[in-house]
Amino acid sequence: MRDLDLKHHFAALGVDPAAVDLYRRLLEDGSVAPEQLSAHGGAGGAEGVEGADALISSLVASGLIAPDGNAAGRYVPVPPEAGLRLLAGRREGQLNEATVAVQRAYREFRRQTRPASADHPVEVVTGPAILSRLKQAEDHAEREIRRLDSPPYYRTRTANNTELDHLARGIGYRVVYSQASLARENYLDGNILPSVKAGEQARVLPSVPVKLSIIDDTVALVSLSISDADVNRTLLIVRPSTLFSALVGLFEVCWKSALPILPSGDVGSSIEPVEQRMLGLLASGLSDEDIVRTLRISRRTFFRYLEKLQARAGVSTRFQLGVYAARHGWLPGEPA
């Protein structure tokens, strides 16, 4: 059986690697019992029948396998759609919990703030001072900048020369973009793709809960509101504290939940560059209209490419195309 590299894809949904090993074996063998796993050295590190039982229980709970109705004590894989929806729902729940935790931490900060305290870990910046404070914080980066990116933007220009300079000096960037970022005119070609080419790790979510930049482990820059305040006039600067730790946790949950923006690596000469980009944008959740505008192609050309890819994969729906693309290396696995 072809190695589908399931660990990479299931890792984003929080499935234990040992459970993925067992799932792969079930896909290969069709049916298996816990004592068989124990007799052959376990599955993915499971030790004995007890360890195999634990892995089987986790896969049953995930909706990926079920008891074999034709053989007592044995288990078989089941169609994955319901299980995958369950796993994705759990990850979304974790993201919601992290968002609530940050909001609670901020409300607690507002209750306890004393304006006369000069050494308070949170500072509010407004008006023209925002741009200079942003630049000052970014210029002090030494290792990594983590960012949740969403409109509106403090700068009107598209290209991010500061990030390109940092990447050239070896400073890492991990950025989670909202779909609204990708839909902004010229932002994908003028900002995101040049940064990715220079070394940025980029992923996308349907939306991000807050605009956020974390500079190393020293300072976080976050908009005071999540949706409807004038974020271009107010910025929250957070230094190491309970709130800072909550913001770091929020970013990491968003990062694990997000999808890579574009296909990476060599997928063979049979896939054209525009088709690679289209697959990545489809996986990112952009609408047909946004993809057509981003790729600068007509709707007729878009559907022609889509039909061509579906025919090549031998499928009839976009969901089936996504599954085929993931299994055959047309889409990236989970980066380390």
Side-chain angles (χ1 to χ4, degrees):
M1 176 181 183
R2 175 184 168 87
D3 183 359
L4 303 182
D5 205 12
L6 294 178
K7 287 185 181 178
H8 290 299
H9 301 296
F10 278 112
L13 298 175
V15 180
D16 184 88
V20 177
D21 286 338
L22 172 55
Y23 186 59
R24 181 187 287 114
R25 177 165 178 181
L26 284 168
L27 292 176
E28 293 172 348
D29 297 345
S31 175
V32 73
E35 56 269 20
Q36 287 180 298
L37 298 174
S38 175
H40 290 85
E47 297 181 357
V49 175
E50 182 177 347
D53 279 335
L55 294 180
I56 287 176
S57 296
S58 69
L59 288 173
V60 171
S62 299
L64 296 174
I65 69 172
D68 189 343
N70 298 318
R74 301 179 68 85
Y75 295 85
V76 295
V78 298
E81 287 83 359
L84 292 176
R85 284 196 298 270
L86 175 63
L87 292 170
R90 288 176 179 170
R91 182 66 75 182
E92 182 179 0
Q94 293 174 345
L95 176 60
N96 291 336
E97 290 176 2
T99 302
V100 170
V102 171
Q103 292 171 332
R104 287 176 178 171
Y106 176 68
R107 286 196 295 269
E108 182 65 23
F109 151 71
R110 295 296 292 172
R111 286 194 295 268
Q112 297 179 2
T113 297
R114 293 178 175 85
S117 175
D119 59 350
H120 201 282
V122 180
E123 177 186 357
V124 177
V125 180
T126 60
I130 289 177
L131 284 176
S132 62
R133 296 301 299 275
L134 281 170
K135 185 177 187 306
Q136 180 185 41
E138 291 181 10
D139 285 347
H140 281 81
E142 296 180 354
R143 298 183 305 278
E144 181 185 46
I145 293 180
R146 292 167 282 184
R147 179 169 291 155
L148 301 181
D149 186 283
S150 177
Y153 294 95
Y154 295 110
R155 302 179 178 92
T156 56
R157 57 182 170 81
T158 302
N160 191 340
N161 295 324
T162 299
E163 178 176 341
L164 295 176
D165 290 342
H166 284 173
L167 289 166
R169 292 195 286 112
I171 296 174
Y173 273 77
R174 286 191 287 153
V175 184
V176 178
Y177 294 92
S178 65
Q179 285 184 11
S181 298
L182 273 65
R184 183 190 182 197
E185 186 175 2
N186 296 325
Y187 197 64
L188 180 65
D189 287 332
N191 183 302
I192 299 175
L193 292 183
S195 297
V196 170
K197 185 177 180 180
E200 175 191 292
Q201 298 181 63
R203 301 186 185 182
V204 65
L205 283 173
S207 63
V208 296
V210 68
K211 287 172 63 70
L212 171 68
S213 292
I214 302 172
I215 314 298
D216 296 327
D217 292 318
T218 59
V219 66
L221 311 171
V222 59
S223 300
L224 278 172
S225 65
I226 290 179
S227 57
D228 57 356
D230 186 1
V231 296
N232 281 319
R233 293 184 178 272
T234 308
L235 181 73
L236 195 67
I237 299 179
V238 184
R239 296 176 180 84
S241 59
T242 301
L243 178 58
F244 181 88
S245 299
L247 291 170
V248 170
L250 174 63
F251 172 84
E252 295 299 340
V253 170
C254 290
W255 179 256
K256 291 179 181 178
S257 303
L259 290 173
I261 285 182
L262 296 173
S264 64
D266 181 11
V267 296
S269 59
S270 61
I271 303 299
E272 299 178 19
V274 66
E275 292 173 329
Q276 295 181 38
R277 293 183 62 190
M278 192 178 84
L279 282 169
L281 294 172
L282 283 169
S284 300
L286 285 186
S287 66
D288 292 353
E289 291 74 15
D290 287 335
I291 294 175
V292 166
R293 185 176 67 255
T294 298
L295 296 180
R296 295 186 176 88
I297 59 177
S298 67
R299 287 182 60 84
R300 180 177 180 180
T301 301
F302 167 76
F303 286 109
R304 178 169 59 83
Y305 279 126
L306 186 61
E307 291 174 359
K308 180 181 176 183
L309 287 168
Q310 289 178 340
R312 186 178 304 155
V315 300
S316 58
T317 69
R318 295 189 186 189
F319 176 80
Q320 292 171 330
L321 176 62
V323 172
Y324 183 93
R327 290 180 174 179
H328 292 80
W330 292 6
L331 289 175
E334 181 73 6

